[in-house]
PDB file of all heavy atoms in Angstrom:
ATOM      1  N   ALA M  50      21.904  21.258  19.303  1.00  0.00           N
ATOM      2  CA  ALA M  50      21.176  20.007  19.407  1.00  0.00           C
ATOM      3  C   ALA M  50      19.971  19.938  18.476  1.00  0.00           C
ATOM      4  O   ALA M  50      19.427  18.874  18.218  1.00  0.00           O
ATOM      5  CB  ALA M  50      20.716  19.816  20.868  1.00  0.00           C
ATOM      6  N   ILE M 202      32.717  45.178  18.933  1.00  0.00           N
ATOM      7  CA  ILE M 202      33.060  43.749  18.645  1.00  0.00           C
ATOM      8  C   ILE M 202      33.785  43.101  19.789  1.00  0.00           C
ATOM      9  O   ILE M 202      33.700  41.869  19.940  1.00  0.00           O
ATOM     10  CB  ILE M 202      33.828  43.623  17.326  1.00  0.00           C
ATOM     11  CG1 ILE M 202      33.860  42.197  16.758  1.00  0.00           C
ATOM     12  CG2 ILE M 202      35.267  44.172  17.434  1.00  0.00           C
ATOM     13  CD1 ILE M 202      32.585  41.756  16.351  1.00  0.00           C
ATOM     14  N   SER M 273      54.474  27.236  21.941  1.00  0.00           N
ATOM     15  CA  SER M 273      53.645  26.716  22.954  1.00  0.00           C
ATOM     16  C   SER M 273      53.009  25.370  22.486  1.00  0.00           C
ATOM     17  O   SER M 273      52.529  25.284  21.339  1.00  0.00           O
ATOM     18  CB  SER M 273      52.448  27.678  23.242  1.00  0.00           C
ATOM     19  OG  SER M 273      51.468  27.064  23.993  1.00  0.00           O
ATOM     20  N   GLU M 437       3.300 -12.738  12.246  1.00  0.00           N
ATOM     21  CA  GLU M 437       4.473 -13.189  11.444  1.00  0.00           C
ATOM     22  C   GLU M 437       3.981 -13.406  10.041  1.00  0.00           C
ATOM     23  O   GLU M 437       3.070 -14.197   9.771  1.00  0.00           O
ATOM     24  CB  GLU M 437       5.016 -14.435  12.007  1.00  0.00           C
ATOM     25  CG  GLU M 437       6.041 -14.214  13.040  1.00  0.00           C
ATOM     26  CD  GLU M 437       6.898 -15.451  13.320  1.00  0.00           C
ATOM     27  OE1 GLU M 437       6.781 -16.474  12.661  1.00  0.00           O
ATOM     28  OE2 GLU M 437       7.679 -15.383  14.318  1.00  0.00           O
ATOM     29  N   PRO M 447      20.643 -12.137  -5.419  1.00  0.00           N
ATOM     30  CA  PRO M 447      20.060 -12.555  -4.073  1.00  0.00           C
ATOM     31  C   PRO M 447      19.557 -11.321  -3.276  1.00  0.00           C
ATOM     32  O   PRO M 447      18.512 -11.370  -2.653  1.00  0.00           O
ATOM     33  CB  PRO M 447      21.195 -13.224  -3.407  1.00  0.00           C
ATOM     34  CG  PRO M 447      22.448 -12.893  -4.144  1.00  0.00           C
ATOM     35  CD  PRO M 447      22.008 -12.543  -5.568  1.00  0.00           C
ATOM     36  N   THR M 474      37.024  -5.487   8.603  1.00  0.00           N
ATOM     37  CA  THR M 474      38.448  -5.819   8.683  1.00  0.00           C
ATOM     38  C   THR M 474      38.801  -6.659   7.453  1.00  0.00           C
ATOM     39  O   THR M 474      37.941  -7.022   6.693  1.00  0.00           O
ATOM     40  CB  THR M 474      38.808  -6.634   9.957  1.00  0.00           C
ATOM     41  OG1 THR M 474      37.878  -7.743   9.938  1.00  0.00           O
ATOM     42  CG2 THR M 474      38.654  -5.822  11.197  1.00  0.00           C
TER      43      THR M 474
END
Side-chain angles (χ1 to χ4, degrees):
I202 196 67
S273 165
E437 270 196 9
T474 52

